[in-house]
């Protein structure tokens, strides 16, 4: 799958792309089944909510289930990423972020690069976050909020929030968020299950708690150029994988092939 010139220009201008219906209902069903298998295991790579104890983030998925091992090599994800960042990309992080109905907590305003740089020593903000909605994401069940065009501010001041939620995060200073909000419109990334979302390392984003009766689960693959790899080994492997082997795309129907 290749992005058109118009879509490439849109990404560079806005800092993100929403691609509706990139994955079929049958493919999403396979991913949801794999998600349930990983959630049911008692694994330190399953990070749980501070209050409810429900899974907030399940990480290292491609090492835990064959379906996700295929997904990180899916051409509908890998080929657009290669267009944007070059051929040699490694799987930096593979996870599902969940906002459980009634219980899902917020993600504070942040840029992914702050964590990649501060915690893992990634030199430049070149990583790409490639999402797939595993549930319908609406304005009611905790969608991602983006400041459109905020990537143009580059890497901004952050501080390490270790108390607000169960996931320690480098978050953007409130004064800077206010400054960005004066020139960058705030938008919600919504769409049906199977929608894809691509955004870069400096886009300022966050998401509110989920007060609705509907779950919100989103798969996330972060691909990073091999030449821009980590220089620190402070975090466990499921936070930032050490294998720098470039991902190579599989066949387009790889999710629906029999196991084995």
């Amino acid at each position: 799958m290749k992005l058109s010139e118009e879509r490439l220009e849109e990404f560079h201008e806005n800092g993100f792309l929403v691609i509706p219906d990139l994955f079929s209902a049958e493919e999403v069903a396979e991913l949801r089944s794999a998600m349930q298998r990983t959630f049911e295991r008692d694994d330190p790579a399953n990070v749980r909510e501070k209050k409810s104890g429900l899974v907030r983030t399940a990480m290292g998925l491609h090492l835990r289930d064959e379906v996700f091992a295929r997904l990180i090599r899916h051409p509908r994800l890998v080929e657009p990423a290669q267009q944007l960042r070059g051929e040699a990309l490694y799987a930096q992080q593979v996870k599902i972020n969940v906002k459980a109905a009634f219980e899902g907590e917020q993600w504070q305003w942040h840029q992914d690069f702050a964590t990649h740089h501060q915690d893992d020593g990634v030199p430049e903000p070149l990583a790409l976050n490639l999402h797939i909605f595993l549930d319908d994401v609406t304005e009611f069940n905790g969608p991602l909020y983006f400041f459109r065009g905020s990537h143009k501010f580059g890497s901004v001041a952050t501080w390490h929030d270790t108390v607000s939620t169960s996931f320690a995060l480098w978050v953007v200073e409130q004064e800077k968020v206010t400054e960005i909000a004066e020139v960058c419109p705030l938008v919600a990334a919504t769409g049906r299950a199977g929608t894809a979302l691509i955004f870069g390392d400096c886009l300022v984003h966050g998401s509110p708690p989920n007060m609705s009766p509907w779950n919100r689960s989103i798969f996330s693959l972060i691909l990073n150029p091999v030449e821009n790899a980590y220089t620190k080994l402070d975090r466990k492997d499921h936070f930032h994988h050490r294998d720098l082997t470039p991902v190579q795309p599989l066949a387009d129907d790889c999710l629906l092939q029999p196991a084995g």
Side-chain angles (χ1 to χ4, degrees), residues 190-203:
T190 60
R192 297 189 301 184
T195 295
L197 172 65
I198 304 173
F199 60 95
D201 235 12
C202 280
L203 191 68

Side-chain angles (χ1 to χ4, degrees), residues 112-237:
D112 288 349
F113 180 62
T115 297
H116 300 164
H117 183 66
Q118 298 283 1
D119 290 350
D120 305 318
V122 172
E124 300 294 335
L126 299 176
L128 286 177
N129 207 323
L130 301 114
H131 279 189
I132 304 169
F133 295 174
L134 303 182
D135 296 303
D136 293 345
V137 178
T138 73
E139 65 267 40
F140 303 115
N141 65 344
L144 274 79
Y145 292 162
F146 292 128
F147 283 107
R148 188 169 64 210
S150 56
H151 62 298
K152 296 177 182 177
F153 279 79
S155 180
V156 301
T158 58
W159 61 281
H160 203 205
D161 185 350
T162 61
V163 298
S164 292
T165 73
S166 59
F167 197 101
L169 193 67
W170 290 88
V171 302
V172 178
E173 300 279 1
Q174 290 186 350
E175 294 80 4
K176 178 56 74 170
V177 174
T178 301
E179 177 188 343
I180 290 170
E182 292 176 355
V183 294
C184 296
L186 185 61
V187 296
T190 60
R192 297 189 301 184
T195 295
L197 172 65
I198 304 173
F199 60 95
D201 235 12
C202 280
L203 191 68
V204 177
H205 63 289
S207 60
N210 183 9
M211 296 173 59
S212 82
W214 305 291
N215 288 334
R216 191 228 72 176
S217 304
I218 298 177
F219 171 82
S220 168
L221 165 64
I222 297 179
L223 294 179
N224 188 33
V226 173
E227 63 183 13
N228 191 50
Y230 60 87
T231 59
K232 296 180 182 179
L233 299 173
D234 297 342
R235 296 202 293 171
K236 294 180 179 179
D237 179 80

Side-chain angles (χ1 to χ4, degrees), residues 46-56 103 105 166:
N46 289 348
V47 180
R48 297 183 179 274
E49 294 281 22
K50 181 178 289 189
K51 295 180 181 178
S52 69
L54 297 172
V55 173
R56 172 185 177 90
E103 302 288 351
E105 298 177 17
S166 59

Side-chain angles (χ1 to χ4, degrees), residues 3-75:
L3 298 172
S4 67
E5 287 299 322
E6 291 76 15
R7 298 244 71 184
L8 291 170
E9 291 175 9
E10 180 183 349
F11 175 84
H12 291 304
E13 178 63 25
N14 295 335
F16 67 95
L17 283 178
V18 177
I19 308 174
D21 301 319
L22 188 63
F23 289 84
S24 70
E26 188 178 6
E27 290 170 320
V28 170
E30 288 291 328
L31 298 176
R32 288 179 58 82
S33 294
M35 175 180 72
Q36 289 306 123
R37 290 194 294 270
T38 58
F39 283 15
E40 289 167 0
R41 299 173 190 144
D42 185 13
D43 192 302
N46 289 348
V47 180
R48 297 183 179 274
E49 294 281 22
K50 181 178 289 189
K51 295 180 181 178
S52 69
L54 297 172
V55 173
R56 172 185 177 90
T57 300
M59 311 186 82
L61 299 178
H62 63 309
L63 304 178
R64 301 167 62 187
D65 196 285
E66 182 184 349
V67 169
F68 294 117
R70 295 179 185 183
L71 182 57
I72 69 165
R73 296 168 175 84
H74 202 291

